[in-house]
Each structure stands twice: as C-alpha cells, then as structure tokens.
Amino acid sequence: MAVLSKTTIAHLAEHLENAELQAFDVTKITDDYPDMDWEDAYDIQYEIRRRKEARGHQTIGLKMGLTSYAKMKQMGVDVPVYAFLSDYFSVPDGGEINMAALIHPKVEAEIAIITNQPLHGPGCTVAQVLAATEAVVPAVEVIDSRYRDFKFDLKSVVADNASSARFVTGGKLKRADQVDMKTLGVVMEINGRVVATGAGAAVLGHPAASVAMLANMLAERGEHIPAGTFIMTGGITAAVEVKAGDSVRVRYQDLGEVSIRFV
Amino acid sequence: MLSTAQIQSYAEELYQALRQREMVEPLSNRTPDMTVEDAYAVSSGLLERRMQRDGETVIGKKIGVTSKAVMTMLGVHQPDFGYLTDAMVVDESESLSLSTKMIQPKAEGEIAFVLKQDLIGPGVTATDVLRATDFVVPCFEIVDSRIKDWQIKIQDTVSDNASCGYFLLGSQAADPRQLDLSTVGMVVELNGQVISTGAGAAALGSSPVSCVVWLANTLGKFGVPLKAGEVILSGSLVPLQTVKPGDYMSVSIGGIGRTAVRFD
C-alpha cells in the first residue's frame, strides 16, 4: 500500500530527476519521508520514466541492481531492485563520457541479454529466461547515485532509478546456447591495470536468475518483460570509482570487450 | 642472513610442526634479519626431511600469493613457491580429514598446469609456457600454515613450503591453446552457495600463464627446472576460504570444467 500522495510522488520525481539532469547531489528522500514504502519508491521511479518519455526520450531497456547476495545481506534485503534505461544513457563502445554531466560515477561490469519472447511472472524460471534469450552481450554500467556521498537506503535508491546514468555495450554477441553465463569471466581494467575480476555467478548465482526475478517483480505491478527487451542483469564486479582521464576496458570470456573513456 | 645452523634448526622445527600438527611462533618475529633467500633455504631443508625420512617424491610445484586479494589478506607483495609431493594428493573420490591431517586449513580454487616439456629459466616467456603445457585442469588447493594463527610474513610462508597442505585435481582437462586464460571465469561454492567469483587476470593482474613464467624464471636462478610431467598450481583467483569438517566446496572454471572437495 502506497502511503505518499500523488502530489508528493510528482514532487519527489521532479526533485530527483533535476538532480540527475543538472548533476547535483541531494540528501536521501527517506530522511523527509521515513514512512514511504516500496510501492511509493517504484511510483517515483515510474514518474521519472514518464517525465522522460513525455519529453520524447524512449525507454530502451531495463536493469537489475543489488544482485549480489553479499550486498543484499549488507543492505538487509532479500530481493534486488530494478530500474529503466533511457535512450540517452547509451554511450557507444569506445566513446567518451563527460564527467561534468555526472556527480560521482562508478563503473560495473555486467552481462546483458536481449529477449525474443515475452516473460511473465509470477513463477518465471531460469529455464524460461534462457529459452527467451535471443542474445547475450557484454555491457558496462556507469552508475551515479544522486545521493550525497552514496549515503542512501534501498527505497531512496529505487526512487532514484537505481543510480542509473550511462551504459555501454558492444563486443561480441552470442546466443544463450553458445556461452555458459554462470562461469563466464570478466576482467575490468582502468588505464591498463586490472582492478576487478569476477564471473557471471556473482549475479544471483546465474545472470538468467536475475532476469527471472525481474519478471516476477514486474508482475507485482501487473507488468511483464516484452519481447525484444535489452536487460542489464546486474554488476559482476564491485562498482569502481572513476575520474576524468580514466580509460576503462572490460574484457569478457567469449564476448570480446567494451571500453569507455571519462573526460 | 641466517647461519646454516639456524636454517637447519628452523627446517627441523617446521618438519616436526607438520608431523605433530602443531603451530610455531613466526620465524620472522624471532629472527627479523631473515631474508627471503634464507626462507627458501629453510623450505629446501623441510623438503629434504620429507623425502629422506618419509620417502615422499616431488611431483610438481605451487605458486602462491599471486592474487591481489591474497596479497592483501596476507600482507605480502610478491608471489612465492613451494614443492608438491605425492603425499599431498587428494583424489576427487576421497574426502579430506581436516581433524587428522591439518591444523588451520583454508581452501582456494586454482588452475593447474600439467607440463609435457621441461621449462628452464631464466628467459622463459608466456609462449614457452603454452608450448610446454600438456593441458590445464581445475584444482583445489587446501593450504595450511604451521605458523601460529596464520601470522605470516613472506619469510614465514616461504619457509613453510608456501603454506602448502593438500591439493586435488579435477578429472576434466582443457587445452590452453583453445582458451584465453586471462578471462576464464571461476566460481567457488561452499555448501551449495556461491561465495566468490574471479577470472584468470586476478593472477598477478595478468594471467595464470604469467605465474608459471614467474616460477620458471625464479627457479631458474636456483638452477631448478620445471620438469615434463610435473603439476604446477598457478595460484588462487579468489580469496582464501576457511573450511571445517562437514564442508563441501566446488569450483567451476569457464571452458575448463569443475571439481569438488569434501572435508571430514
């Protein structure tokens, strides 16, 4: 049951979206609205999405966040969070990201999938996700929480579109039957130095489990994952801070590599 | 620099600690002027005792302290090596008795190289390692320390045969020519839960191949070759995990395979 009024939801959405668009930080919204619930948090996120779409931006995908068991335990929750990707979040492989447009960005290596059939929860399984996977592609997410010094709780994060800011995809495309997403290794390098490594199982045991959970969470709002959806499944590596001048390259087992530079 | 007598005394002390399953005070605390070279001399003395008194034979080498995670955990900043003997082998079909064989065990997932040609440093390159490798296999190393509470500096772990305990090789083999060993992923599960993941580049920030290159060139300085048929454990790609009786662990490596170990 939502507790915030429609006016408050609209106000908080505008507040958080302005912080994103103008690159300034804010304090976490639960400081002022301690009673807000999960439904309120997603209502704010959906209002931000509506605002962008109303200005002509297309929503081009979905993402999962907080998909590591260690991080969930640390935050005291047992489900991950989801958010949407707007068209202008996409940066071409090898492209540049202007630090001035962001607050305090961090990068995470992820595995993304593109579906070719709709996925409906509740009860969506890993098997159904694999059967509905048209392609597996590498993706690097740039997260940029709008909250000062990354001080937040989970509801504040959900309202803030799960810190979504930019992403880059590229490398090689594989079918689900050509890769083992669970053991697929990733190596993140900044300025040629390895800063993090991991494998797909860091994401809820299997990246497809993350997508199944997304379908099941969307079902709670009466929604589903349509065919043709690009989904970033969640961070395999820890989020790593970047600064102007950094060149980030992520190498993937069997999926090539993607890179971006921060200027 | 330690005297020969001191080196032999430490070797005897560590040998007795190994056999009696007892811990000793860190050597580096007792003789702060001990060098890494001294430590390798102690390690050789320890190995000689195992071979002469117990008839153990060397079947390979292990490289330790290769990942940033392990370097941070142990507070050391360079790799090390130890000797593998036939007495350290655990088969996939067996469980390992921690209570009768080990003191303070920790397990780590690794990639093991089996050689088909000798490698003699210095001057060994990654190409030489690939040419000399017959195949790679998934591996668990169960390390142990005879040094009290794992309070090790590099001199302590080197003296103690690089904290070697037991190792287990999987029964799936892969050709390293068909893999990019720097991006192969590793997933370690403890009692059915994923506890850590990593990839090949966790090894020296490069690749497990670089670890074997380092070993061949380091041993080359001592005139010791890596021999055809030897097993080389290339170092952990994930943090060390403390284990206890009843635990079950598996390691899966992308493109190579998996293995598992049970502890009693």
Side-chain angles (χ1 to χ4, degrees), chain A residues 236-254:
Chain A
I236 292 170
T237 59
V240 180
E241 219 170 299
V242 287
K243 56 184 191 317
D246 282 346
S247 168
V248 178
R249 175 181 307 271
V250 181
R251 296 186 285 125
Y252 290 78
Q253 183 172 18
D254 302 328

Side-chain angles (χ1 to χ4, degrees), chain B:
Chain B
M1 274 293 284
L2 301 186
S3 68
T4 308
Q6 181 67 72
I7 284 167
Q8 290 307 319
S9 162
Y10 278 156
E12 182 64 25
E13 187 179 338
L14 286 170
Y15 174 78
Q16 294 300 337
L18 174 75
R19 290 296 173 239
Q20 310 301 323
R21 296 180 51 247
E22 285 169 0
M23 296 186 281
V24 304
E25 292 296 324
L27 314 184
S28 59
N29 286 358
R30 290 186 268 164
T31 43
D33 59 339
M34 183 177 191
T35 64
V36 173
E37 285 70 27
D38 291 332
Y40 279 114
V42 175
S43 173
S44 294
L46 173 59
L47 177 70
E48 276 164 27
R49 283 163 175 78
R50 297 180 75 158
M51 292 170 72
Q52 286 166 7
R53 298 182 195 174
D54 308 308
E56 294 183 22
T57 55
V58 173
I59 58 170
K61 320 271 185 325
K62 69 154 279 187
I63 306 154
V65 203
T66 53
S67 78
K68 212 175 177 183
V70 176
M71 284 188 192
T72 305
M73 194 179 290
L74 300 185
V76 294
H77 303 283
Q78 61 187 99
D80 66 1
F81 71 87
Y83 299 93
L84 303 177
T85 77
D86 56 342
M88 299 175 183
V89 178
V90 180
D91 188 78
E92 271 185 321
S93 63
E94 306 168 333
S95 61
L96 176 61
S97 170
L98 300 178
S99 56
T100 61
K101 292 185 164 175
M102 304 196 78
I103 306 167
Q104 38 186 352
K106 295 174 191 277
E108 53 187 40
E110 304 196 12
I111 294 170
F113 290 65
V114 177
L115 302 182
K116 60 182 176 187
Q117 288 168 23
D118 292 357
L119 279 169
I120 306 165
V124 168
T125 63
T127 308
D128 297 326
V129 170
L130 288 175
R131 190 187 287 141
T133 301
D134 198 359
F135 52 84
V136 292
V137 290
C139 167
F140 262 113
E141 185 184 357
I142 303 93
V143 295
D144 200 0
S145 183
R146 273 57 63 174
I147 308 294
K148 199 175 174 194
D149 303 332
W150 278 97
Q151 292 174 41
I152 55 174
K153 292 203 176 83
I154 190 74
Q155 292 92 333
D156 299 297
T157 183
V158 165
S159 298
D160 191 24
N161 195 29
S163 308
C164 206
Y166 291 83
F167 70 97
L168 178 148
L169 301 178
S171 46
Q172 285 165 291
D175 181 349
R177 290 163 190 74
Q178 309 298 326
L179 293 165
D180 172 6
L181 284 176
S182 77
T183 59
V184 295
M186 174 177 286
V187 180
V188 176
E189 295 180 27
L190 171 66
N191 303 325
Q193 281 233 314
V194 174
I195 53 161
S196 56
T197 73
L204 296 178
S206 168
S207 159
V209 176
S210 301
C211 300
V212 182
V213 168
W214 175 85
L215 180 66
N217 289 327
T218 301
L219 283 175
K221 288 182 214 152
F222 296 88
V224 180
L226 303 184
K227 294 185 196 135
E230 282 192 337
V231 177
I232 311 296
L233 309 193
S234 62
S236 185
L237 302 178
V238 291
L240 294 166
Q241 173 64 40
T242 299
V243 289
K244 57 182 193 316
D247 282 344
Y248 168 82
M249 283 180 84
S250 70
V251 60
S252 304
I253 307 174
I256 299 181
R258 79 181 283 281
T259 189
V261 59
R262 283 177 295 122
F263 302 105
D264 284 339

Side-chain angles (χ1 to χ4, degrees), chain A residues 64 67 69 80 113 124-127 129-130 181 200-201 203-217 233:
Chain A
M64 290 290 275
T67 49
Y69 288 117
I113 69 155
C124 181
T125 64
V126 170
V129 172
L130 290 174
M181 280 192 262
V203 178
L204 294 169
H206 194 305
S210 173
V211 177
M213 209 169 272
L214 173 61
N216 294 331
M217 291 168 78
T233 59

